[in-house]
Amino acid sequence: EIVMTQSPDTLSVSPGERATLSCRASQSVSSNLAWYQQKPGQAPRLLMYGASTRATDIPARFSGSGSGTEFTLTVSSLQSEDFAVYFCQQYNNWPRTFGQGTRLEIK
Amino acid sequence: QVQLVVSGGGLVKPGGSLRLSCAASVFTFTNYHMSWIRQAPGKGLEWVSYISSGGTFIYYAESVKGRFTISRDNAKNSMYLQMNSLRAEDTAVYYCALTLPYFDSWGQGTLVTVSS
């Protein structure tokens, strides 16, 4: 099983600033990496797939990069609605696996 | 706009059974692969099971293999998860998701609580 590890567990950032979230895979997943955003009481929402392709209606302030085992999700200028939990997930191998999540909180 | 409505959750005793349903409002449901994902209270996401568009290919997480059965009825635009021999550690919100193979659209989830 591929283990996905996100860092940090919690990230405190002020609105308007930049946030960088990391995700590492225990073995290569090529570019078969997705990011999800989850707000309290809601289902997760797809943000990014193919490591760097934004999903439908996702604002351009979200960007993704990386391949192989190292991935990054960047939010260029944080808005109030961006404070949430973010999960990465690999879909290169079975079983599909998620990172433990990074909580992005207001500083 | 894809809509997925999950139902069937509830309180069940250890060793009991429950059947979850996921109803899709997608005209071409038959073209889409689907998955179940769960989230224990206050925890992260865990993929549970996958079924291909025609039902030919099915995969399970090791934690549920032999106890859970995924199925679909394309004529009813629906997918199911039959959960048997439930354990306390199966307590979670269960989501269904359209699978592309990333999880493109998610249902709202249904809470399954396994407790005596």
PDB file of all heavy atoms in Angstrom, chain A residues 7 9 13-14 21 28 32 35-36 40 48 54-57 59 65 69 73 76-77 80 86 90 93 98:
ATOM      1  N   SER A   7       2.261  17.366   5.090  1.00  0.00           N
ATOM      2  CA  SER A   7       2.880  18.257   6.065  1.00  0.00           C
ATOM      3  C   SER A   7       2.601  19.713   5.694  1.00  0.00           C
ATOM      4  O   SER A   7       2.481  20.049   4.512  1.00  0.00           O
ATOM      5  CB  SER A   7       4.397  18.012   6.126  1.00  0.00           C
ATOM      6  OG  SER A   7       4.995  18.253   4.856  1.00  0.00           O
ATOM      7  N   ASP A   9       0.732  19.222   9.678  1.00  0.00           N
ATOM      8  CA  ASP A   9      -0.608  18.801  10.081  1.00  0.00           C
ATOM      9  C   ASP A   9      -1.540  20.010  10.166  1.00  0.00           C
ATOM     10  O   ASP A   9      -2.720  19.927   9.825  1.00  0.00           O
ATOM     11  CB  ASP A   9      -0.560  18.098  11.441  1.00  0.00           C
ATOM     12  CG  ASP A   9       0.074  16.721  11.349  1.00  0.00           C
ATOM     13  OD1 ASP A   9       0.026  16.106  10.251  1.00  0.00           O
ATOM     14  OD2 ASP A   9       0.629  16.256  12.365  1.00  0.00           O
ATOM     15  N   VAL A  13      -2.068  30.693   8.700  1.00  0.00           N
ATOM     16  CA  VAL A  13      -1.714  31.714   7.717  1.00  0.00           C
ATOM     17  C   VAL A  13      -2.725  32.848   7.795  1.00  0.00           C
ATOM     18  O   VAL A  13      -3.917  32.617   8.053  1.00  0.00           O
ATOM     19  CB  VAL A  13      -1.702  31.122   6.296  1.00  0.00           C
ATOM     20  CG1 VAL A  13      -1.261  32.173   5.271  1.00  0.00           C
ATOM     21  CG2 VAL A  13      -0.781  29.906   6.223  1.00  0.00           C
ATOM     22  N   SER A  14      -2.257  34.059   7.569  1.00  0.00           N
ATOM     23  CA  SER A  14      -3.161  35.215   7.575  1.00  0.00           C
ATOM     24  C   SER A  14      -3.861  35.356   6.232  1.00  0.00           C
ATOM     25  O   SER A  14      -3.276  35.017   5.186  1.00  0.00           O
ATOM     26  CB  SER A  14      -2.374  36.498   7.870  1.00  0.00           C
ATOM     27  OG  SER A  14      -1.736  36.425   9.120  1.00  0.00           O
ATOM     28  N   LEU A  21       1.148  23.702   0.935  1.00  0.00           N
ATOM     29  CA  LEU A  21       0.893  22.417   1.580  1.00  0.00           C
ATOM     30  C   LEU A  21       1.659  21.340   0.825  1.00  0.00           C
ATOM     31  O   LEU A  21       1.707  21.357  -0.408  1.00  0.00           O
ATOM     32  CB  LEU A  21      -0.601  22.085   1.558  1.00  0.00           C
ATOM     33  CG  LEU A  21      -1.552  22.897   2.444  1.00  0.00           C
ATOM     34  CD1 LEU A  21      -1.668  24.343   1.991  1.00  0.00           C
ATOM     35  CD2 LEU A  21      -2.931  22.239   2.459  1.00  0.00           C
ATOM     36  N   SER A  28       6.591   6.116  -6.057  1.00  0.00           N
ATOM     37  CA  SER A  28       6.111   6.971  -7.131  1.00  0.00           C
ATOM     38  C   SER A  28       4.651   6.696  -7.499  1.00  0.00           C
ATOM     39  O   SER A  28       4.233   5.542  -7.629  1.00  0.00           O
ATOM     40  CB  SER A  28       6.970   6.787  -8.383  1.00  0.00           C
ATOM     41  OG  SER A  28       6.448   7.580  -9.438  1.00  0.00           O
ATOM     42  N   ASN A  32      -0.507  10.905 -10.818  1.00  0.00           N
ATOM     43  CA  ASN A  32      -1.853  10.457 -10.442  1.00  0.00           C
ATOM     44  C   ASN A  32      -2.177  10.837  -9.007  1.00  0.00           C
ATOM     45  O   ASN A  32      -2.352   9.993  -8.116  1.00  0.00           O
ATOM     46  CB  ASN A  32      -1.980   8.959 -10.677  1.00  0.00           C
ATOM     47  CG  ASN A  32      -1.821   8.609 -12.137  1.00  0.00           C
ATOM     48  OD1 ASN A  32      -2.393   9.268 -13.007  1.00  0.00           O
ATOM     49  ND2 ASN A  32      -1.028   7.581 -12.421  1.00  0.00           N
ATOM     50  N   TRP A  35      -6.076  16.507  -5.067  1.00  0.00           N
ATOM     51  CA  TRP A  35      -6.231  17.270  -3.823  1.00  0.00           C
ATOM     52  C   TRP A  35      -7.722  17.544  -3.614  1.00  0.00           C
ATOM     53  O   TRP A  35      -8.459  17.835  -4.562  1.00  0.00           O
ATOM     54  CB  TRP A  35      -5.502  18.604  -3.909  1.00  0.00           C
ATOM     55  CG  TRP A  35      -4.017  18.538  -3.875  1.00  0.00           C
ATOM     56  CD1 TRP A  35      -3.167  18.501  -4.950  1.00  0.00           C
ATOM     57  CD2 TRP A  35      -3.176  18.541  -2.708  1.00  0.00           C
ATOM     58  NE1 TRP A  35      -1.865  18.470  -4.532  1.00  0.00           N
ATOM     59  CE2 TRP A  35      -1.835  18.502  -3.149  1.00  0.00           C
ATOM     60  CE3 TRP A  35      -3.419  18.570  -1.328  1.00  0.00           C
ATOM     61  CZ2 TRP A  35      -0.749  18.488  -2.273  1.00  0.00           C
ATOM     62  CZ3 TRP A  35      -2.353  18.554  -0.456  1.00  0.00           C
ATOM     63  CH2 TRP A  35      -1.029  18.518  -0.925  1.00  0.00           C
ATOM     64  N   TYR A  36      -8.131  17.489  -2.345  1.00  0.00           N
ATOM     65  CA  TYR A  36      -9.518  17.749  -1.967  1.00  0.00           C
ATOM     66  C   TYR A  36      -9.542  18.759  -0.830  1.00  0.00           C
ATOM     67  O   TYR A  36      -8.624  18.789   0.006  1.00  0.00           O
ATOM     68  CB  TYR A  36     -10.225  16.470  -1.508  1.00  0.00           C
ATOM     69  CG  TYR A  36     -10.190  15.362  -2.530  1.00  0.00           C
ATOM     70  CD1 TYR A  36      -9.117  14.481  -2.581  1.00  0.00           C
ATOM     71  CD2 TYR A  36     -11.208  15.214  -3.462  1.00  0.00           C
ATOM     72  CE1 TYR A  36      -9.056  13.471  -3.535  1.00  0.00           C
ATOM     73  CE2 TYR A  36     -11.164  14.213  -4.423  1.00  0.00           C
ATOM     74  CZ  TYR A  36     -10.084  13.347  -4.452  1.00  0.00           C
ATOM     75  OH  TYR A  36     -10.031  12.351  -5.407  1.00  0.00           O
ATOM     76  N   PRO A  40     -16.076  21.892   7.538  1.00  0.00           N
ATOM     77  CA  PRO A  40     -16.814  21.170   8.576  1.00  0.00           C
ATOM     78  C   PRO A  40     -18.243  20.828   8.159  1.00  0.00           C
ATOM     79  O   PRO A  40     -18.969  21.680   7.634  1.00  0.00           O
ATOM     80  CB  PRO A  40     -16.805  22.158   9.746  1.00  0.00           C
ATOM     81  CG  PRO A  40     -15.570  22.965   9.543  1.00  0.00           C
ATOM     82  CD  PRO A  40     -15.433  23.109   8.055  1.00  0.00           C
ATOM     83  N   MET A  48      -8.046  19.508  -7.385  1.00  0.00           N
ATOM     84  CA  MET A  48      -6.964  19.344  -8.357  1.00  0.00           C
ATOM     85  C   MET A  48      -6.841  17.868  -8.700  1.00  0.00           C
ATOM     86  O   MET A  48      -7.025  17.006  -7.827  1.00  0.00           O
ATOM     87  CB  MET A  48      -5.659  19.809  -7.703  1.00  0.00           C
ATOM     88  CG  MET A  48      -4.560  20.260  -8.610  1.00  0.00           C
ATOM     89  SD  MET A  48      -4.816  21.933  -9.203  1.00  0.00           S
ATOM     90  CE  MET A  48      -4.851  22.820  -7.662  1.00  0.00           C
ATOM     91  N   ARG A  54      -6.597  22.082 -12.331  1.00  0.00           N
ATOM     92  CA  ARG A  54      -7.697  22.504 -11.467  1.00  0.00           C
ATOM     93  C   ARG A  54      -9.008  21.877 -11.918  1.00  0.00           C
ATOM     94  O   ARG A  54      -9.303  21.795 -13.115  1.00  0.00           O
ATOM     95  CB  ARG A  54      -7.830  24.034 -11.492  1.00  0.00           C
ATOM     96  CG  ARG A  54      -6.848  24.765 -10.587  1.00  0.00           C
ATOM     97  CD  ARG A  54      -7.194  26.247 -10.485  1.00  0.00           C
ATOM     98  NE  ARG A  54      -7.239  26.876 -11.797  1.00  0.00           N
ATOM     99  CZ  ARG A  54      -6.176  27.337 -12.418  1.00  0.00           C
ATOM    100  NH1 ARG A  54      -4.981  27.232 -11.861  1.00  0.00           N
ATOM    101  NH2 ARG A  54      -6.293  27.901 -13.610  1.00  0.00           N
ATOM    102  N   ALA A  55      -9.800  21.473 -10.937  1.00  0.00           N
ATOM    103  CA  ALA A  55     -11.126  20.942 -11.246  1.00  0.00           C
ATOM    104  C   ALA A  55     -12.058  22.084 -11.644  1.00  0.00           C
ATOM    105  O   ALA A  55     -11.707  23.259 -11.510  1.00  0.00           O
ATOM    106  CB  ALA A  55     -11.666  20.196 -10.030  1.00  0.00           C
ATOM    107  N   THR A  56     -13.232  21.719 -12.106  1.00  0.00           N
ATOM    108  CA  THR A  56     -14.204  22.707 -12.565  1.00  0.00           C
ATOM    109  C   THR A  56     -14.534  23.715 -11.468  1.00  0.00           C
ATOM    110  O   THR A  56     -14.765  23.332 -10.317  1.00  0.00           O
ATOM    111  CB  THR A  56     -15.493  21.985 -13.004  1.00  0.00           C
ATOM    112  OG1 THR A  56     -15.168  21.031 -14.014  1.00  0.00           O
ATOM    113  CG2 THR A  56     -16.503  22.977 -13.551  1.00  0.00           C
ATOM    114  N   ASP A  57     -14.520  24.978 -11.817  1.00  0.00           N
ATOM    115  CA  ASP A  57     -14.913  26.088 -10.934  1.00  0.00           C
ATOM    116  C   ASP A  57     -13.938  26.352  -9.797  1.00  0.00           C
ATOM    117  O   ASP A  57     -14.260  27.121  -8.878  1.00  0.00           O
ATOM    118  CB  ASP A  57     -16.313  25.851 -10.343  1.00  0.00           C
ATOM    119  CG  ASP A  57     -17.398  25.853 -11.413  1.00  0.00           C
ATOM    120  OD1 ASP A  57     -17.205  26.523 -12.449  1.00  0.00           O
ATOM    121  OD2 ASP A  57     -18.418  25.169 -11.215  1.00  0.00           O
ATOM    122  N   PRO A  59     -10.900  28.282  -8.266  1.00  0.00           N
ATOM    123  CA  PRO A  59     -10.241  29.556  -8.609  1.00  0.00           C
ATOM    124  C   PRO A  59      -8.763  29.390  -8.944  1.00  0.00           C
ATOM    125  O   PRO A  59      -8.102  28.465  -8.454  1.00  0.00           O
ATOM    126  CB  PRO A  59     -10.409  30.398  -7.337  1.00  0.00           C
ATOM    127  CG  PRO A  59     -11.474  29.754  -6.550  1.00  0.00           C
ATOM    128  CD  PRO A  59     -11.460  28.297  -6.908  1.00  0.00           C
ATOM    129  N   SER A  65       1.563  21.255  -8.010  1.00  0.00           N
ATOM    130  CA  SER A  65       2.777  20.886  -8.724  1.00  0.00           C
ATOM    131  C   SER A  65       3.330  19.591  -8.165  1.00  0.00           C
ATOM    132  O   SER A  65       2.889  19.115  -7.105  1.00  0.00           O
ATOM    133  CB  SER A  65       3.822  22.003  -8.617  1.00  0.00           C
ATOM    134  OG  SER A  65       4.228  22.165  -7.270  1.00  0.00           O
ATOM    135  N   THR A  69       7.006  11.408  -6.206  1.00  0.00           N
ATOM    136  CA  THR A  69       6.700  11.246  -4.784  1.00  0.00           C
ATOM    137  C   THR A  69       6.487  12.557  -4.024  1.00  0.00           C
ATOM    138  O   THR A  69       6.069  12.520  -2.876  1.00  0.00           O
ATOM    139  CB  THR A  69       7.825  10.470  -4.072  1.00  0.00           C
ATOM    140  OG1 THR A  69       9.042  11.220  -4.177  1.00  0.00           O
ATOM    141  CG2 THR A  69       8.020   9.083  -4.681  1.00  0.00           C
ATOM    142  N   LEU A  73       0.549  21.798  -2.975  1.00  0.00           N
ATOM    143  CA  LEU A  73      -0.641  22.590  -3.268  1.00  0.00           C
ATOM    144  C   LEU A  73      -0.376  23.989  -2.726  1.00  0.00           C
ATOM    145  O   LEU A  73      -0.023  24.142  -1.553  1.00  0.00           O
ATOM    146  CB  LEU A  73      -1.875  21.994  -2.610  1.00  0.00           C
ATOM    147  CG  LEU A  73      -3.175  22.803  -2.769  1.00  0.00           C
ATOM    148  CD1 LEU A  73      -3.673  22.737  -4.205  1.00  0.00           C
ATOM    149  CD2 LEU A  73      -4.260  22.298  -1.804  1.00  0.00           C
ATOM    150  N   SER A  76      -2.424  31.046  -3.460  1.00  0.00           N
ATOM    151  CA  SER A  76      -1.570  32.236  -3.627  1.00  0.00           C
ATOM    152  C   SER A  76      -1.966  33.381  -2.709  1.00  0.00           C
ATOM    153  O   SER A  76      -1.099  34.105  -2.229  1.00  0.00           O
ATOM    154  CB  SER A  76      -1.584  32.698  -5.079  1.00  0.00           C
ATOM    155  OG  SER A  76      -2.917  33.024  -5.462  1.00  0.00           O
ATOM    156  N   SER A  77      -3.231  33.587  -2.478  1.00  0.00           N
ATOM    157  CA  SER A  77      -3.700  34.690  -1.638  1.00  0.00           C
ATOM    158  C   SER A  77      -4.955  34.217  -0.924  1.00  0.00           C
ATOM    159  O   SER A  77      -6.035  34.189  -1.512  1.00  0.00           O
ATOM    160  CB  SER A  77      -3.986  35.924  -2.495  1.00  0.00           C
ATOM    161  OG  SER A  77      -4.466  36.989  -1.685  1.00  0.00           O
ATOM    162  N   SER A  80     -11.128  34.013   2.967  1.00  0.00           N
ATOM    163  CA  SER A  80     -11.746  33.449   4.178  1.00  0.00           C
ATOM    164  C   SER A  80     -12.325  32.062   3.920  1.00  0.00           C
ATOM    165  O   SER A  80     -12.279  31.191   4.789  1.00  0.00           O
ATOM    166  CB  SER A  80     -12.834  34.393   4.690  1.00  0.00           C
ATOM    167  OG  SER A  80     -13.814  34.613   3.694  1.00  0.00           O
ATOM    168  N   TYR A  86      -7.349  20.009   3.975  1.00  0.00           N
ATOM    169  CA  TYR A  86      -6.967  19.600   2.622  1.00  0.00           C
ATOM    170  C   TYR A  86      -6.362  18.202   2.669  1.00  0.00           C
ATOM    171  O   TYR A  86      -5.525  17.907   3.525  1.00  0.00           O
ATOM    172  CB  TYR A  86      -5.976  20.593   2.024  1.00  0.00           C
ATOM    173  CG  TYR A  86      -6.602  21.937   1.765  1.00  0.00           C
ATOM    174  CD1 TYR A  86      -6.757  22.871   2.786  1.00  0.00           C
ATOM    175  CD2 TYR A  86      -7.080  22.266   0.490  1.00  0.00           C
ATOM    176  CE1 TYR A  86      -7.369  24.095   2.567  1.00  0.00           C
ATOM    177  CE2 TYR A  86      -7.691  23.489   0.262  1.00  0.00           C
ATOM    178  CZ  TYR A  86      -7.831  24.392   1.303  1.00  0.00           C
ATOM    179  OH  TYR A  86      -8.453  25.603   1.075  1.00  0.00           O
ATOM    180  N   GLN A  90      -3.678   9.481  -3.824  1.00  0.00           N
ATOM    181  CA  GLN A  90      -3.081   8.888  -5.022  1.00  0.00           C
ATOM    182  C   GLN A  90      -4.058   7.928  -5.676  1.00  0.00           C
ATOM    183  O   GLN A  90      -4.786   7.198  -4.982  1.00  0.00           O
ATOM    184  CB  GLN A  90      -1.753   8.192  -4.687  1.00  0.00           C
ATOM    185  CG  GLN A  90      -1.830   6.986  -3.779  1.00  0.00           C
ATOM    186  CD  GLN A  90      -2.206   5.698  -4.487  1.00  0.00           C
ATOM    187  OE1 GLN A  90      -2.118   5.570  -5.708  1.00  0.00           O
ATOM    188  NE2 GLN A  90      -2.678   4.706  -3.710  1.00  0.00           N
ATOM    189  N   ASN A  93      -2.251   3.411  -7.762  1.00  0.00           N
ATOM    190  CA  ASN A  93      -2.240   2.015  -7.332  1.00  0.00           C
ATOM    191  C   ASN A  93      -3.466   1.707  -6.484  1.00  0.00           C
ATOM    192  O   ASN A  93      -4.059   2.590  -5.848  1.00  0.00           O
ATOM    193  CB  ASN A  93      -0.993   1.733  -6.487  1.00  0.00           C
ATOM    194  CG  ASN A  93       0.276   1.673  -7.309  1.00  0.00           C
ATOM    195  OD1 ASN A  93       0.564   2.574  -8.082  1.00  0.00           O
ATOM    196  ND2 ASN A  93       1.023   0.606  -7.134  1.00  0.00           N
ATOM    197  N   PHE A  98      -5.223   8.080   0.942  1.00  0.00           N
ATOM    198  CA  PHE A  98      -5.247   9.506   1.215  1.00  0.00           C
ATOM    199  C   PHE A  98      -4.151   9.863   2.216  1.00  0.00           C
ATOM    200  O   PHE A  98      -3.762   9.037   3.054  1.00  0.00           O
ATOM    201  CB  PHE A  98      -6.582   9.901   1.858  1.00  0.00           C
ATOM    202  CG  PHE A  98      -7.784   9.818   0.954  1.00  0.00           C
ATOM    203  CD1 PHE A  98      -8.476   8.626   0.820  1.00  0.00           C
ATOM    204  CD2 PHE A  98      -8.233  10.933   0.273  1.00  0.00           C
ATOM    205  CE1 PHE A  98      -9.608   8.544   0.007  1.00  0.00           C
ATOM    206  CE2 PHE A  98      -9.363  10.871  -0.538  1.00  0.00           C
ATOM    207  CZ  PHE A  98     -10.040   9.669  -0.676  1.00  0.00           C
TER     208      PHE A  98
END
